[in-house]
Amino acid sequence: MVDEISPEAVAELLDGEEPPLVVDVSTEAEFALGHVPGSISVPLSNLVSHLDRVAGAEHVVTVCPRGEASVQAVRLLSAYEGTEDARIESMAGGLAAWDGPLEEGLDEGANGDERS
């Protein structure tokens, strides 16, 4: 079973002293339309080839539009040896359940592997 975290709990953690790494596994186009502030874009289709972007994080929250792809991302990340000590959770309900602010635009740290 995949651990899930409520959007409200994510918002609280983001305001705390040790915020989680929020990994948005939406497509680049979906990410550009709106994402949790400070999150990084790693489309689910590219997650395995970009595991280095999450390696070493202590707490990872995966996000997608409806909370389905982020559950798959938790399973993938949990099997990766670079995250074996991390707390990895999927944001329940995805961005559809997020009441907080959204940022728009692309992730400057992404290298644009995904083409639509």
Side-chain angles (χ1 to χ4, degrees), residues 59-73:
H59 187 186
V60 177
V61 175
T62 59
V63 178
C64 69
R66 292 167 297 287
E68 297 164 0
S70 61
V71 168
Q72 292 177 350

Side-chain angles (χ1 to χ4, degrees), residues 44-61:
L44 186 61
S45 61
N46 295 342
L47 189 58
V48 172
S49 61
H50 291 279
L51 288 171
D52 58 314
R53 295 189 71 200
V54 297
E58 292 181 20
H59 187 186
V60 177
V61 175

Side-chain angles (χ1 to χ4, degrees), residues 21-94:
L21 173 63
V22 179
V23 179
D24 192 315
V25 296
S26 308
T27 65
E28 284 185 3
E30 290 169 329
F31 183 85
L33 290 174
H35 52 271
V36 173
S39 60
I40 64 169
S41 174
V42 185
L44 186 61
S45 61
N46 295 342
L47 189 58
V48 172
S49 61
H50 291 279
L51 288 171
D52 58 314
R53 295 189 71 200
V54 297
E58 292 181 20
H59 187 186
V60 177
V61 175
T62 59
V63 178
C64 69
R66 292 167 297 287
E68 297 164 0
S70 61
V71 168
Q72 292 177 350
V74 169
R75 290 186 182 121
L76 276 170
L77 291 173
S78 296
Y80 174 56
E81 67 183 48
T83 58
E84 69 270 2
D85 295 328
R87 178 175 154 199
I88 306 170
E89 301 169 300
S90 171
M91 188 169 81

